[in-house]
Amino acid sequence: MNDHSAAHPRPGFRRRALLGAAMATAAAGALDWGVPAVAVADAATSTGIERFNAAIFARPERAAAPRFRWWWPDGLVQPDEIRREIDQIADAGFGGAEIAAVHHSVSDTSVLDTAKHGWGGAAWVAGVEAALSQAARRGITVDLTIGPSWPAAVPGITPDSDAAVKELAYGTVTLAAGSTWSGPVPAPVYAAASQVTEQHLLLVQAARVDTAHSTRKETGLDQDSVRDLTADVRDGTLNWTAPGDGTYVLISYWVRGSGQTPEAGPHTDPPAYVVDHFSAAGTRAVTDFWEAHILTPAVRRLLKVSGGALFEDSIELETDGLQWTPGLPEAFERHTGRSLLPLLPAVILGHSNQVFAFEAAATRQIRHDFWETVSGLFNEHHVTALRTWAHRLGLELRSQPYGLQTDAIASAALLDIPEGESLGFKNLDDYRCLAGGRDMAGHTVLSCEAGAYAGGAYSTTWQKFLRTMGGAYAAGVNQTVIHGFSYAELPGVKWPGYAAFTPYKGTAGYGESWGPRHATWKHVPDIAACLSRVHEVLRTGRPRADVAVFRQTGYSATGIGASWFTASGITSGWTHQFLSGPLLDLPSATVRRGRLAPGGPAYKALFVEGDFFYGSSITLALSDARALLRLARAGLPVVMLGAWDTVVPSGLPGTGEAEELRSVVGRLLAEPLVRQVSDKTAVPTALADLGVTPDVRYATSSTLLNFHRVADGVDYYYLCNGKHAETVKPAVAAIDHDVTLTRTTAGAVPYLLDPWSGRIERVGRYTEDDDTVTVRVALQPGQMRIVALGRPGLFGDRDGNRPHAVASEAEEVRFTGSGLTVRASASGTYRTVLSQGRTVTTTLRDVPAATEPTSWHLHVEDWRPGTTATGTTIVEHDLDLDALLPWSQIPELADVSGIGRYRTTVTLGEGWSGGHGAHLELGTVTDTCRVTVNGHRLDPVDQIHPVVDLGGLLKQGRNIIEIEVATPLANRLRTTDPTVYGTLTRAPYGLQGPVRLVPYGEDRIA
């Protein structure tokens, strides 16, 4: 080993100082440009909406509404059509759109003339101006992607430019003991991209093969044998004889552009190339292009009015080699106090695979240090720099900070709006990683690219979408960017219009292209309003999570969860988020009254385990160990899983660092609020011993998920019957059990906030015990519920301190306009125990039996291709049915998509009088629906559990019930475009039932 590669004492700054500096810079940017200063203060400053009331819940603010990813075929757009589509989005109740240049469905490149209609050109900029100006008129906002498609790229640079993305390629040759290599330096093992014309030799090394360190895919090397032969290279040739002590490899390292272009291009003329995400030059290329070509005076002015965020998609840098930037060696030495070059064999990649390895522990530590350095460069030169620039334009920075081996948790703390995705995230812990960064930094919004399904184009239902997103909201998501809304037109496309991702490689592509082209668009305002209310609640006040899980390597989009908490803790009510080392440097990382970040997520405990991304090794950075010790001494309970007396540094240690780390961890383990357990099954016992309990508790294992926020003494609980991952078997089943909720304010009572109707109702039956309230929760798979605990009368109710029920034989106890009321669907006598201790007996008489209407008239609007690609022709069908069947089983409707209106008549006899109401159970419906009774349209239907309360709308005699159902387009497209959609299975559309009218009797009891 050469002298310059020997271990040196670490510099006089912490391992994550580079990231800490990036966060400080981001905070300074926030102060400069008027973004809330929570990034530089305790999260108590402000983490959400403090103003929340019944009126806001009924009519949420536009800023809380869901948004669309709005796909344009680059600049081949017309301002008039852009303005029309902005109106469509606004009219349907959405809060805005993100302009994205995407056309994966266009295989004929002659359709798009990038010289005239490329991204960033005059036509595209004119479209942006039209979108921003119309959005300003309609009170919505427009986000702009950083470049065409993804990753970030701009025209005007070449693959050889300093600003272009780089790779480190390697060449190698094996030499037997004593043999000589005389010839050109080994060329890279794979060729450069076609447009790359330059490559520079960085280094040539020799190292002895040590099979003891080899793995199934990696050639083992003796680290002490690595020698630098670069000085021996003459005019591109090398003459070197291997020692006689074994087999050697020569390794050459070449720096060159990777030549990567954005997805599914070309999008520009000249072509855009992906920028270096780890250097100032790469980011400057982006901002310089925008300043010169996009930010016209009109665009700059409009961004201040209707601009929302600058957006960057996931960091999908693709190369056959190793991600590289010229400043990496210097940054590595600054960060670790040692040279990177002698360590390169342990990190070099070939076709995404590791090639060489040293001794296992050293290899792990080298790779950890390398990617930690890359993470710091990404956060400093890309995330922080872009955020500061975006703030100057009056924009926030929204980004998906994953795709590389970088600390996405730390990046989430830097971003104004971190974003995940329902397609790429394997489970809910991927969201919880980003939520930890958001909440520790004191930001409010966690966004999600929502509803992309492979092969789901024109067959995706809103019911599927809602089931997907229900769990994501329980993991901290509170902004939905729906994938997506396609610009309507493009030459040569078929009905129902241009769609960015379908056809995709000749078949049905990623779904969905929502908009007026869909029959369900008529009902979409109901869904938009529901999601707006969920967002509003989940942005109110401050988040609360029970436990912070410390993650030594802060990756996301991995599908890797936390021991015990993910598999078992969630099923009993526990909530958790993930933190990485840099977050422990934030101002919010203080402890008060046993809570970490008391003004923010207020974690009750910290859980530490081995590093899942490095074989669950018991590793820790010395700076992180010191931070954990500081927190434990300040009063934070800590549970440590594993043999922490054997801890080793996560990166290559400096002199004496390993010993000091063991000493610090020893002191940590000796703290009275620290528990060490050897098995994950002992985690709940350790937490109980520390006096740590969850805010939400279930008596039995449940698929119920929850998220908790607190504002002005009011607790808001979002509940959803879902699972940690959609792919987990068995499928989620209906639940019906008690749920115990912790209340912040003594005497707080529960309210049910219905996101579908916007109504708030005080809960009529519950029990309370000191600081908890227990309510009964019954939910179908994917169904959500919101419960608030606040003072009596909080939401304008007049029930004040009236008694409530603690137990009842009746099916329901509710506070109605007349007071506390019991309901049951059968005649009988029911006893109810009130909170005052009194038992009330109620007799309900003459409750009619449930009925199933058997006679229906169905009027169908059959949607078919019109005379243009975007035009729709409607053919009408009228049928009389004596049983409800899916359309696929009705010959006249087998291939129909569109809107069906079902009408039936229910005759109620003389026994129908005061004291009766009814629920209408719709059974199975595909897809969206609305209900009208006797000419009165009911509140929006819960599309996951379509049961509606008809209240007093029914009358003696004839009653007309109408159910309007809208479907996806796939059944029709199977016949009109069979080459693309013919392989789709015919779907069971329509109202399938069983539809039941279930009368109930009711009577006031208090």
Side-chain angles (χ1 to χ4, degrees):
M1 182 180 290
N2 294 331
D3 291 342
H4 71 269
S5 64
H8 294 288
R10 290 195 180 272
F13 54 82
R14 293 169 291 181
R15 293 179 56 81
R16 56 188 179 273
L18 191 63
L19 295 175
M23 290 184 180
T25 305
L31 289 172
D32 287 344
W33 306 111
V35 174
V38 296
V40 292
D42 190 301
T45 310
S46 173
T47 60
I49 303 165
E50 296 295 337
R51 180 176 56 90
F52 183 87
N53 53 41
I56 288 175
F57 186 68
R59 298 180 63 84
E61 296 178 351
R62 183 74 81 163
R67 314 172 64 79
F68 276 112
R69 185 148 294 173
W70 187 13
W71 296 306
W72 291 10
D74 294 333
L76 191 52
V77 295
Q78 296 297 322
D80 286 348
E81 175 61 24
I82 289 297
R83 284 186 280 268
R84 187 169 75 97
E85 293 181 13
I86 284 285
D87 285 342
Q88 292 166 350
I89 290 169
D91 289 344
F94 292 86
E98 165 211 313
I99 298 173
V102 177
H103 46 76
H104 286 58
S105 61
V106 181
S107 57
D108 184 356
T109 55
S110 66
V111 172
L112 282 166
D113 182 351
T114 53
K116 294 181 179 178
H117 300 108
W119 175 88
W124 186 83
V125 172
V128 169
E129 289 185 6
L132 288 167
S133 62
Q134 190 67 10
R137 294 185 184 97
R138 297 306 309 272
I140 66 175
T141 58
V142 172
D143 296 351
L144 297 171
T145 55
I146 194 172
S149 195
W150 68 90
V154 290
I157 62 173
T158 73
D160 300 322
S161 300
D162 289 343
V165 63
K166 299 291 186 295
E167 67 178 2
L168 188 66
Y170 80 98
T172 187
V173 64
T174 301
L175 299 177
S179 62
T180 299
W181 174 265
S182 182
V185 171
V189 297
Y190 43 85
S194 59
Q195 301 302 314
V196 175
T197 63
E198 300 175 5
Q199 59 182 13
H200 305 286
L201 182 65
L202 174 70
L203 180 69
V204 181
Q205 293 174 329
R208 182 169 55 82
V209 174
D210 186 344
T211 57
H213 302 328
S214 294
T215 68
R216 186 168 60 88
K217 295 183 178 180
E218 302 164 335
T219 299
L221 302 178
D222 176 8
Q223 185 178 354
D224 291 331
S225 74
V226 175
R227 60 190 66 193
D228 187 345
L229 305 181
T230 311
D232 297 331
V233 176
R234 299 287 185 273
D235 297 325
T237 64
L238 173 66
N239 190 296
W240 184 76
T241 300
D245 58 348
T247 301
Y248 274 74
V249 292
L250 291 178
I251 312 171
S252 59
Y253 303 89
W254 301 86
V255 177
R256 65 193 185 193
S258 74
Q260 185 177 359
T261 58
E263 278 272 326
H267 298 274
T268 59
D269 186 13
Y273 287 96
V274 174
V275 300
D276 184 350
H277 285 55
F278 315 115
S279 73
T283 300
R284 189 162 52 247
V286 173
T287 58
D288 285 352
F289 182 87
W290 277 68
E291 296 282 354
H293 300 282
I294 295 175
L295 296 174
T296 64
V299 169
R300 287 182 183 274
R301 182 180 68 255
L302 288 166
L303 286 175
K304 300 288 186 180
V305 179
S306 56
L310 183 70
F311 172 70
E312 182 171 19
D313 214 315
S314 51
I315 315 302
E316 299 176 27
L317 301 182
E318 299 170 354
T319 170
D320 286 326
L322 179 69
Q323 297 296 339
W324 193 257
T325 189
L328 231 173
E330 180 184 355
F332 187 91
E333 188 158 3
R334 260 197 331 268
H335 183 49
T336 67
R338 66 180 70 241
S339 174
L340 170 63
L341 301 185
L343 310 177
L344 281 177
V347 296
I348 194 67
L349 297 176
H351 299 288
S352 301
N353 295 315
Q354 303 289 162
V355 181
F356 304 106
F358 299 139
E359 181 274 328
T363 300
R364 182 188 68 239
Q365 291 170 324
I366 292 166
R367 291 172 182 171
H368 182 278
D369 280 349
F370 177 83
W371 288 108
E372 192 173 69
T373 302
V374 172
S375 184
L377 292 174
F378 174 70
N379 281 332
E380 178 183 12
H381 293 304
H382 194 75
V383 176
T384 303
L386 280 176
R387 180 185 177 189
T388 301
W389 178 73
H391 290 175
R392 292 173 184 168
L393 301 176
L395 302 174
E396 294 181 298
L397 180 61
R398 174 169 60 89
S399 177
Q400 298 174 355
Y402 46 85
L404 298 174
Q405 293 174 255
T406 55
D407 189 346
I409 299 174
S411 298
L414 290 171
L415 291 164
D416 299 304
I417 305 173
E419 181 169 287
E421 56 181 289
S422 64
L423 177 66
F425 276 17
K426 307 300 188 296
N427 57 41
L428 299 183
D429 276 335
D430 287 336
Y431 295 110
R432 294 186 180 106
C433 289
L434 303 183
R438 173 199 65 181
D439 292 340
M440 283 294 290
H443 301 307
T444 300
V445 177
L446 173 59
S447 185
C448 179
E449 176 189 354
Y453 305 100
Y458 298 119
S459 61
T460 298
T461 65
W462 282 105
Q463 294 158 344
K464 180 175 183 177
F465 178 93
L466 291 166
R467 289 188 181 99
T468 297
M469 292 309 299
Y473 300 133
V477 169
N478 56 11
Q479 174 171 283
T480 308
V481 181
I482 299 172
H483 186 289
F485 188 109
S486 290
Y487 181 80
E489 303 171 348
L490 191 71
V493 301
K494 297 180 180 180
W495 182 79
Y498 166 70
F501 288 100
T502 191
Y504 186 77
K505 299 180 180 178
T507 62
Y510 286 84
E512 185 67 70
S513 281
W514 302 109
R517 67 183 69 190
H518 279 270
T520 57
W521 192 251
K522 182 177 183 180
H523 300 157
V524 159
D526 298 349
I527 295 168
C530 172
L531 297 184
S532 298
R533 295 183 185 107
V534 171
H535 295 164
E536 196 82 57
V537 170
L538 291 178
R539 297 183 190 184
T540 296
R542 297 163 176 80
R544 290 289 185 266
D546 296 322
V547 174
V549 176
F550 183 75
R551 178 151 277 179
Q552 295 95 325
T553 304
Y555 300 159
S556 186
T558 65
I560 294 178
S563 291
W564 188 77
F565 288 98
T566 294
S568 302
I570 291 172
T571 64
S572 55
W574 288 90
T575 58
H576 65 277
Q577 293 179 343
F578 293 88
L579 312 183
S580 62
L583 272 60
L584 302 183
D585 278 345
L586 291 175
S588 62
T590 59
V591 177
R592 186 168 65 244
R593 297 178 182 174
R595 299 292 186 99
L596 172 60
Y603 306 114
K604 302 174 185 178
L606 185 65
F607 175 67
V608 187
E609 60 183 327
D611 192 339
F612 272 171
F613 299 101
Y614 289 93
S616 295
S617 302
I618 302 299
T619 66
L620 203 60
L622 177 58
S623 54
D624 293 338
R626 289 169 175 159
L628 296 180
L629 178 59
R630 170 178 60 83
L631 296 173
R633 286 178 171 173
L636 179 67
V638 178
V639 175
M640 305 187 72
L641 171 62
W644 285 94
D645 54 322
T646 64
V647 65
V648 295
S650 50
L652 286 172
T655 303
E657 187 173 341
E659 293 78 10
E660 185 176 359
L661 173 64
R662 286 192 288 273
S663 174
V664 172
V665 170
R667 295 198 297 275
L668 173 63
L669 295 172
E671 284 294 313
L673 290 178
V674 176
R675 298 291 182 273
Q676 183 180 13
V677 296
S678 58
D679 188 87
K680 62 184 178 182
T681 58
V683 171
T685 302
L687 290 167
D689 185 50
L690 290 166
V692 178
T693 58
D695 282 346
V696 180
R697 297 193 292 275
Y698 322 139
T700 58
S701 180
S702 174
T703 52
L704 188 63
L705 304 167
N706 77 84
F707 196 86
H708 181 197
R709 295 188 74 95
V710 178
D712 196 24
V714 181
D715 297 274
Y716 296 90
Y717 289 96
Y718 170 86
L719 308 173
C720 178
N721 181 19
K723 267 199 174 179
H724 175 65
E726 289 187 45
T727 56
V728 173
K729 303 298 181 182
V732 176
I735 60 172
D736 185 357
H737 59 75
D738 285 344
V739 177
T740 298
L741 308 172
T742 302
R743 56 186 175 187
T744 299
T745 300
V749 300
Y751 294 86
L752 184 63
L753 283 64
D754 182 358
W756 288 101
S757 68
R759 300 181 188 276
I760 300 178
E761 178 182 308
R762 183 172 165 187
V763 175
R765 178 169 54 192
Y766 60 94
T767 60
E768 51 190 342
D769 182 15
D770 295 331
D771 63 345
T772 65
V773 171
T774 299
V775 297
R776 193 79 175 174
V777 173
L779 294 173
Q780 293 297 309
Q783 190 180 5
M784 53 191 174
R785 180 155 299 171
I786 301 170
V787 177
L789 304 181
R791 60 177 174 77
L794 174 67
F795 294 110
D797 55 295
R798 294 175 294 174
D799 302 303
N801 290 311
R802 285 182 178 176
H804 62 273
V806 297
S808 181
E809 296 171 340
E811 294 162 20
E812 292 184 81
V813 183
R814 299 180 60 179
F815 280 106
T816 66
S818 59
L820 190 64
T821 302
V822 294
R823 288 181 177 178
S825 59
S827 301
T829 300
Y830 300 90
R831 289 177 299 176
T832 301
V833 180
L834 300 180
S835 53
Q836 299 169 326
R838 183 166 59 96
T839 298
V840 179
T841 300
T842 306
T843 300
L844 301 177
R845 296 182 173 85
D846 303 322
V847 179
T851 61
E852 292 188 21
T854 57
S855 178
W856 297 87
H857 179 78
L858 172 58
H859 176 79
V860 174
E861 294 181 0
D862 176 358
W863 286 34
R864 302 184 181 188
T867 56
T868 66
T870 58
T872 297
T873 295
I874 294 176
V875 175
E876 298 186 348
H877 306 271
D878 283 277
L879 299 89
D880 291 314
L881 307 174
D882 56 10
L884 293 173
L885 294 172
W887 293 3
S888 55
Q889 295 180 24
I890 301 173
E892 299 93 328
L893 305 179
D895 292 312
V896 169
S897 296
I899 297 175
R901 296 181 180 90
Y902 295 78
R903 174 179 290 196
T904 190
T905 300
V906 176
T907 301
L908 298 174
E910 295 181 358
W912 192 267
S913 57
H916 290 151
H919 289 114
L920 184 66
E921 301 173 356
L922 303 188
T924 301
V925 186
T926 304
D927 174 30
T928 59
C929 61
R930 283 176 172 171
V931 177
T932 301
V933 175
N934 294 329
H936 297 275
R937 197 173 94 187
L938 275 66
D939 286 337
V941 178
D942 183 338
Q943 302 294 328
I944 296 296
H945 184 49
V947 176
V948 294
D949 188 349
L950 305 186
L953 293 177
L954 295 177
K955 62 188 180 187
Q956 190 178 112
R958 295 176 70 251
N959 294 268
I960 298 175
I961 298 175
E962 296 174 291
I963 303 168
E964 183 178 76
V965 179
T967 80
L969 294 178
N971 280 3
R972 177 53 64 198
L973 283 167
R974 290 176 71 252
T975 64
T976 61
D977 195 356
T979 57
V980 176
Y981 303 100
T983 59
L984 296 178
T985 302
R986 185 181 282 151
Y989 291 160
L991 177 64
Q992 301 161 50
V995 174
R996 299 175 71 237
L997 185 69
V998 184
Y1000 56 77
E1002 64 179 353
D1003 196 12
R1004 180 178 180 274
I1005 60 172

